[in-house]
């Protein structure tokens, strides 16, 4: 409840518009919050809030190697993230770190720099019209071939023009051989022929341009034509993929010269082969980011909740924790990658075609003006993967400089990643586990036993106002400050933030029928404890049914929620008459 309240406070303290918020959760506890926010907004603004149940499948595929629209190279922080992801694929699950970590990091950074240079120059991805129908149709609708044909008419070689006129039957074939000697732009007859076939010639030159155009060329042309969506789609196919890094590893003479004889520690396998093998394994294991982006996240989205339930690995295995850590890194990038544009705006814009400056400056301005908030729930899921801990903690430390608030949540403070607890500015504890006293001292937080004893007692007590005590530790330059505080909320606020399955369903059904304001009023009046659980349990007992399994009982309980909702809606409407 406290975490939900803090998340909502970030939303309600925005400056001009909805803030930029990312909640990375596991399970459906945040779904009700998403519904509540959406239904509190007018219909034309509900698309600003998104809820994604992430799956490791092509349906949700997002290429983490993708740059900002129009940019040939990643920003400074995007480069760091890409390095972290690629190195994470190389982690030895028995140690939680890549072997030869320094060497692998150096190889990966070299790969990243070389890859984006290649894709921006001599090995740019060639445009293939059959890959995306929407882009192909947009190219035709914008008249790009005609535009390019007209642009290139005066720059095309005389030999090419002569060849075209030979094809049209205006010149004999022998003229093509020594065209440069026979014709020039000052040749009146030659220019008359060009003018005669001008429209066809422009189309011909446009078609010739298209044969050698890159996806970047198509992106630029569509953006210049004012079709930002189609440009963004085209931009996806200009990007490198994970498979491209494997190819570069095997073809780079420079990498072979520097690292071919460097073996993985404790193995006869060379480092380059090890990295290539890890990339190949990752491409097969993680279809969600092994190819071009397919998933469309609305570019206007400001609040996004990502449910990690379907992509986290087994807690009990090193492989499972590594998968969870990689997915947490990926989810953060998926939702929050744009939060950091203001930080690197100058270097980013300096390396960008001026064509895109106005577009990105507007985005950067919006990002600079509003709060940016990231929340990780169930963060104990990656507590044993040191590399992932380090990556997320480094990002957290950077976030503080960039005006991004980051919050981690777990059931026990000792289950939080150690790199997080050692660097937090604020620590909030709802309960005190037996081992917490020693753990707090181990991370440099020294609180007197008197305070901890009092909090331990208070945290178990019922209060007249329904509030719950919590321990707040603030780490300042002058030392740690500790307070025992109480989280007190009104009944309507409790109902708004309640995340239990049955209460959440009841709230959602009433909101759909009555709206947010009336729903919270009705629920607060009928159930002043902030929950309808006791009423639903009584209704369930009143059926007289005996259930064979817990699942059957839960299903019956949810059915009764619909009955109760229908009753409350009917009563409210009768009262309103």
């Amino acid at each position: 409840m406290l975490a939900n309240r803090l998340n909502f406070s970030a939303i309600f303290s925005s400056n001009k518009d909805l803030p930029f918020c990312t909640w990375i959760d596991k399970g459906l506890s945040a779904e009700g919050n998403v519904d509540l926010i959406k239904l509190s907004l007018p219909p034309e603004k509900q698309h600003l809030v998104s809820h994604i149940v992430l799956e490791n499948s092509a349906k949700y595929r997002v290429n983490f190697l993708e740059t900002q629209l129009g940019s040939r190279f990643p920003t400074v922080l995007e480069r760091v993230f890409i390095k972290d992801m690629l190195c994470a694929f190389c982690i030895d699950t028995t140690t939680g770190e890549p072997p030869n970590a320094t060497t692998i990091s150096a190889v990966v950074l070299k790969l990243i720099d070389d890859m984006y240079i290649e894709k921006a120059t001599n090995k740019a991805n060639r445009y293939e019209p059959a890959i995306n129908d929407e882009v192909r149709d947009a190219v035709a609708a914008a008249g790009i071939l005609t535009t390019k044909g007209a642009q290139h008419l005066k720059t095309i070689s005389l030999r090419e023009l002569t060849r075209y006129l030979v094809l049209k039957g205006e010149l004999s074939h022998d003229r093509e051989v020594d065209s440069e000697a026979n014709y020039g732009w000052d040749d009146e007859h030659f220019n008359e022929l060009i003018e005669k076939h001008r429209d066809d010639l422009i189309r011909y030159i446009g078609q010739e341009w298209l044969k050698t155009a890159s996806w970047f060329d198509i992106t630029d042309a569509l953006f210049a034509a004012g079709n930002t969506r189609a440009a963004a789609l085209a931009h996806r196919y200009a990007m490198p993929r994970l498979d491209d890094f494997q190819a570069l590893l095997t073809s780079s003479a420079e990498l072979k010269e520097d690292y071919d004889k460097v073996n993985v520690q404790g193995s006869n396998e060379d480092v380059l082969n090890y990295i290539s093998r890890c990339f190949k394994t990752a491409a097969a294991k993680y279809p969600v980011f092994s190819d071009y982006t397919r998933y469309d996240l609305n570019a206007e989205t400001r609040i996004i909740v990502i449910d990690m339930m379907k992509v986290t690995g087994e807690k009990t295995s090193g492989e499972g924790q590594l998968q969870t850590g990689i997915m947490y890194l990926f989810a953060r990038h998926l939702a929050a990658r744009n939060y950091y544009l203001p930080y690197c705006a100058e270097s980013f814009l300096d390396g960008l075609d001026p064509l895109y400056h106005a577009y990105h400056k507007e985005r950067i301005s919006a990002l600079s003006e509003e709060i940016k908030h990231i929340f990780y729930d169930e963060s104990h899921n990656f507590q044993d993967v040191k590399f992932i801990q380090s990556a997320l903690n480094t990002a957290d430390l950077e976030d503080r400089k960039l005006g991004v608030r980051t919050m981690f949540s777990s059931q026990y403070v000792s289950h939080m990643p150690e790199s997080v607890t050692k660097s937090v500015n604020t620590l909030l504890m709802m309960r005190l586990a037996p081992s917490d006293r020693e753990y707090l001292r181990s991370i440099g937080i020294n609180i007197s036993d008197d305070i901890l004893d009092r909090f331990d007692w208070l945290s178990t007590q019922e209060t007249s106002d329904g509030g719950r005590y919590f321990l707040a530790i603030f780490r300042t330059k002058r030392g740690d400050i500790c307070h025992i505080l109480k989280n007190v909320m009104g009944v309507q606020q409790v109902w708004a933030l309640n995340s239990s399955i049955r209460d959440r369903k009841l709230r959602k059904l009433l909101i759909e029928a009555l709206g947010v304001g009336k729903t919270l009023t009705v629920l607060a009046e009928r159930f002043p404890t902030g929950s309808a659980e006791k009423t639903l349990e009584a209704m369930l007992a009143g059926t007289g049914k005996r259930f064979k399994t817990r699942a059957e009982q839960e299903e019956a309980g949810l059915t009764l929620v619909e009955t109760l909702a229908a009753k409350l809606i009917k009563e409210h409407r009768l009262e309103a008459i």
Side-chain angles (χ1 to χ4, degrees):
M1 193 72 77
L2 179 60
N4 283 341
R5 187 176 188 182
L6 292 172
N7 284 325
F8 269 83
S9 71
I11 294 172
F12 297 139
S13 60
S14 59
N15 296 326
K16 295 182 180 179
D17 207 332
L18 281 176
F20 296 93
C21 291
T22 296
W23 299 351
I24 299 175
D25 199 1
K26 185 180 176 184
L28 299 176
S29 61
E31 182 182 12
N33 297 335
V34 174
D35 293 337
L36 185 63
I37 298 167
K38 269 191 171 184
L39 293 169
S40 299
L41 295 171
E44 66 272 14
K45 285 199 170 186
Q46 290 184 7
H47 68 283
L48 298 176
V49 184
S50 294
H51 178 232
I52 301 172
V53 181
L54 194 62
E55 296 177 9
N56 185 18
S57 68
K59 176 182 177 182
Y60 289 94
R61 190 167 62 219
V62 174
N63 184 6
F64 68 89
L65 301 164
E66 197 168 305
T67 61
Q68 298 291 329
L69 177 60
S71 179
R72 273 53 171 171
F73 301 95
T75 66
V76 173
L77 294 180
E78 285 171 347
R79 181 175 179 265
V80 172
F81 165 75
I82 293 168
K83 186 264 292 181
D84 287 342
M85 282 290 283
L86 294 177
C87 286
F89 297 149
C90 302
I91 287 176
D92 179 347
T93 56
T94 63
T95 64
E97 297 278 356
N100 303 60
T102 302
T103 299
I104 286 178
S105 180
V107 171
V108 166
L109 285 173
K110 172 69 174 168
L111 278 172
I112 292 170
D113 293 341
D114 289 352
M115 176 60 69
Y116 285 96
I117 289 172
E118 282 193 354
K119 292 300 180 183
T121 54
N122 60 311
K123 292 189 178 179
N125 294 342
R126 295 299 174 192
Y127 172 58
E128 298 177 55
I131 287 183
N132 189 290
D133 293 344
E134 185 175 346
V135 173
R136 185 192 61 226
D137 294 345
V139 168
I144 287 172
L145 299 191
T146 300
T147 302
K148 290 297 178 182
Q151 288 175 354
H152 290 279
L153 180 59
K154 286 294 185 180
T155 60
I156 193 170
S157 71
L158 293 174
R159 185 177 296 278
E160 282 295 315
L161 285 172
T162 304
R163 182 178 294 120
Y164 176 77
L165 292 172
V166 168
L167 289 173
K168 298 296 289 185
E170 295 286 3
L171 297 173
S172 61
H173 288 280
D174 61 334
R175 295 288 190 179
E176 185 176 349
V177 178
D178 56 352
S179 59
E180 300 288 352
N182 285 281
Y183 296 100
W185 290 108
D186 57 349
D187 188 301
E188 186 176 342
H189 177 61
F190 187 75
N191 278 286
E192 286 177 358
L193 292 175
I194 292 174
E195 195 60 35
K196 176 182 177 181
H197 297 282
R198 184 179 184 83
D199 292 343
D200 287 343
L201 182 56
I202 286 174
R203 282 191 290 271
Y204 167 77
I205 294 172
Q207 290 289 349
E208 291 299 303
W209 171 83
L210 192 65
K211 290 178 183 178
T212 59
S214 70
W215 279 101
F216 273 131
D217 293 329
I218 299 298
T219 301
D220 295 343
L222 287 169
F223 189 84
N227 193 334
T228 304
R229 171 174 166 75
L233 291 176
H235 183 80
R236 296 176 178 180
Y237 301 102
M239 296 294 102
R241 297 174 296 170
L242 198 50
D243 286 345
D244 293 325
F245 280 84
Q246 293 183 65
L248 184 57
L249 268 169
T250 59
S251 64
S252 173
E254 189 175 348
L255 283 174
K256 286 182 179 179
E257 182 180 350
D258 292 341
Y259 298 102
D260 195 36
K261 295 181 180 180
V262 179
N263 288 347
V264 174
Q265 188 174 0
S267 168
N268 292 325
E269 184 177 22
D270 68 78
V271 167
L272 297 183
N273 188 71
Y274 175 82
I275 296 173
S276 179
R277 182 166 58 81
C278 290
F279 287 176
K280 184 177 181 180
T281 300
K285 184 176 181 179
Y286 301 111
V288 69
F289 43 66
S290 62
D291 209 331
Y292 297 124
T293 295
R294 181 177 177 181
Y295 180 73
D296 274 320
L297 178 63
N298 191 316
E300 296 183 10
T301 298
R302 285 182 170 247
I303 299 173
I304 177 170
V305 175
I306 301 179
D307 183 352
M308 305 291 285
M309 179 63 76
K310 294 184 178 181
V311 294
T312 51
E314 292 291 332
K315 296 179 184 178
T316 55
S317 71
E319 190 67 34
Q321 286 218 9
L322 174 58
Q323 176 179 321
T324 299
I326 287 173
M327 286 299 181
Y328 266 79
L329 273 179
F330 171 66
R332 177 181 182 275
H333 177 74
L334 171 64
R337 63 182 293 229
N338 295 325
Y339 291 5
Y340 310 98
L341 275 180
Y343 171 76
C344 50
E346 186 176 349
S347 61
F348 169 60
L349 293 172
D350 283 348
L352 190 67
D353 188 319
L355 172 67
Y356 296 93
H357 279 195
Y359 170 78
H360 285 297
K361 282 180 178 178
E362 183 177 348
R363 297 175 64 225
I364 290 168
S365 176
L367 286 161
S368 300
E369 292 174 353
E370 289 295 348
I371 290 170
K372 296 170 284 293
H373 174 78
I374 302 175
F375 172 61
Y376 299 92
D377 199 9
E378 306 281 351
S379 54
H380 55 271
N381 285 293
F382 53 87
Q383 64 175 330
D384 293 331
V385 186
K386 295 177 183 177
F387 185 87
I388 302 298
Q389 281 192 43
S390 177
L392 286 174
N393 188 49
T394 299
D396 174 39
L397 293 173
E398 291 294 334
D399 287 349
R400 300 173 194 180
K401 303 174 188 175
L402 310 179
V404 180
R405 301 175 181 175
T406 306
M407 185 165 70
F408 295 86
S409 174
S410 188
Q411 292 185 6
Y412 298 97
V413 66
S414 59
H415 289 181
M416 297 277 282
E418 188 175 332
S419 61
V420 171
T421 53
K422 283 186 174 180
S423 63
V424 293
N425 288 334
T426 303
L427 180 63
L428 308 179
M429 299 175 64
M430 302 303 297
R431 288 288 179 93
L432 198 66
S435 61
D436 284 347
R437 296 172 188 252
E438 183 178 346
Y439 181 78
L440 289 173
R441 285 192 288 270
S442 73
I443 59 174
I445 297 177
N446 297 301
I447 302 171
S448 71
D449 284 334
D450 288 344
I451 293 176
L452 293 178
D453 288 342
R454 179 165 178 75
F455 169 64
D456 195 19
W457 179 76
L458 284 172
S459 65
T460 62
Q461 303 304 303
E462 294 289 336
T463 59
S464 59
D465 54 13
R468 288 290 180 268
Y469 289 100
F470 65 96
L471 185 67
I473 303 166
F474 306 98
R475 312 202 71 178
T476 72
K477 293 179 180 179
R478 297 183 179 181
D480 296 343
I481 299 174
C482 179
H483 291 288
I484 298 174
L485 304 175
K486 189 195 286 187
N487 180 32
V488 180
M489 296 187 292
V491 181
Q492 289 196 20
Q493 192 173 25
V494 173
W495 264 110
L497 301 179
N498 193 324
S499 60
S500 75
I501 294 175
R502 291 193 286 200
D503 286 331
R504 191 173 68 236
K505 182 175 181 179
L506 178 63
R507 181 183 63 204
K508 184 176 181 179
L509 290 171
L510 264 65
I511 287 175
E512 289 173 352
L514 307 177
V516 176
K518 290 180 181 177
T519 291
L520 296 180
T521 300
V522 168
L523 290 174
E525 290 175 352
R526 292 297 302 270
F527 309 104
T529 62
S531 173
E533 287 288 352
K534 289 184 179 180
T535 299
L536 289 166
E537 287 295 331
M539 291 172 65
L540 194 61
T543 63
K545 293 182 180 179
R546 297 177 64 87
F547 302 99
K548 295 180 180 179
T549 65
R550 179 68 177 174
E552 285 184 5
Q553 185 177 352
E554 287 296 327
E555 186 176 350
L558 290 174
T559 301
L560 288 174
V561 169
E562 296 175 4
T563 303
L564 179 59
K567 179 183 177 183
L568 293 172
I569 292 168
K570 182 178 180 180
E571 289 176 354
H572 175 77
R573 287 174 175 167
L574 287 173
E575 290 173 2
I577 295 176

